Amino acid sequence: LPHLVPKTVITLAGGLHERVVKEIELSNPSRKPLEYEVRLDGAACFCLGDKTPTASGAAKTSLRLEPRTSLKVEVGMLSAFSGEMSGQLFFLSRGDGVGSSNASSLVFDLKAQVSFGQPHEELAFEARLYAPTVFQLTIAPPPQLARALEGGSVRVELYEDRPPLEAAQSPGSGATKR
């Protein structure tokens, strides 16, 4: 079916737990209103507007575009997982030809590229060499994903940031710094 071939790929790139939104502008040049069923299929990270992504990854809504007007539709991504995800956004024409115009259906491929993004918090400690340092760390998911992660597992990564070592150089020792 040629009317279900995707028009383009909408790429949403961002960090983990970061909301990314892009707009699609639809215009109606006709004298009758257009009616669409808007359907979102694919990965659970995609959402319409400022809504929270659904657990199943599928969302439906209807849209009415009045004559000689335009409307911006937001498609967003809020991911709980890193990597690449895909989906499709459908604008299926529901015009009857009498009260509203028959329009072409529109399909867009969605692609999410999720990286680790910026850390939510950084902690710095100083310690003597080989001396253990004890600190308390509170682990909590971002509020917008707390419900989605119930009963799941959380990954914590700790990185050690070591200051550069300076080569000791004394006069006449012949040691050089590189």
Side-chain angles (χ1 to χ4, degrees):
L1 301 169
H3 62 281
L4 294 179
V5 174
K7 301 291 182 202
T8 189
V9 176
I10 299 171
T11 303
L12 302 161
L16 200 57
H17 309 300
E18 177 184 341
R19 182 177 294 280
V20 178
V21 177
K22 286 197 176 179
E23 291 182 341
I24 300 171
E25 186 171 355
L26 301 176
S27 61
N28 178 8
S30 73
R31 287 179 274 177
K32 289 185 179 180
L34 298 177
E35 292 183 16
Y36 286 106
E37 176 186 324
V38 183
R39 201 170 112 199
L40 184 60
D41 287 331
C45 65
F46 297 112
C47 60
L48 292 171
D50 59 355
K51 297 178 182 162
T52 303
T54 60
S56 66
K60 278 187 186 178
T61 189
S62 59
L63 180 102
R64 183 176 172 94
L65 190 55
E66 294 302 324
R68 294 188 169 89
T69 61
S70 62
L71 179 68
K72 292 182 180 179
V73 178
E74 291 183 341
V75 60
M77 181 258 316
L78 178 65
S79 182
F81 305 101
S82 62
E84 287 193 11
M85 284 148 274
S86 62
Q88 287 190 317
L89 177 61
F90 296 90
F91 291 92
L92 302 171
S93 178
R94 294 295 177 230
D96 58 10
V98 179
S100 60
S101 291
N102 287 324
S104 295
S105 294
L106 303 169
V107 180
F108 298 94
D109 274 339
L110 301 174
K111 183 178 174 184
Q113 296 173 333
V114 183
S115 61
F116 284 107
Q118 298 298 317
H120 292 283
E121 183 179 359
E122 290 185 14
L123 303 172
F125 296 94
E126 289 186 22
R128 295 180 52 89
L129 188 61
Y130 301 116
T133 301
V134 179
F135 60 92
Q136 186 174 5
L137 178 65
T138 303
I139 300 173
Q144 66 269 30
L145 292 174
R147 204 172 21 143
L149 293 175
E150 283 181 12
S153 61
V154 176
R155 182 171 93 188
V156 177
E157 293 185 20
L158 298 174
Y159 297 98
E160 182 179 357
D161 187 18
R162 297 179 183 181
L165 294 175
E166 297 291 327
Q169 195 174 35
S170 60
S173 68
T176 58
K177 184 177 173 182
R178 293 184 182 210

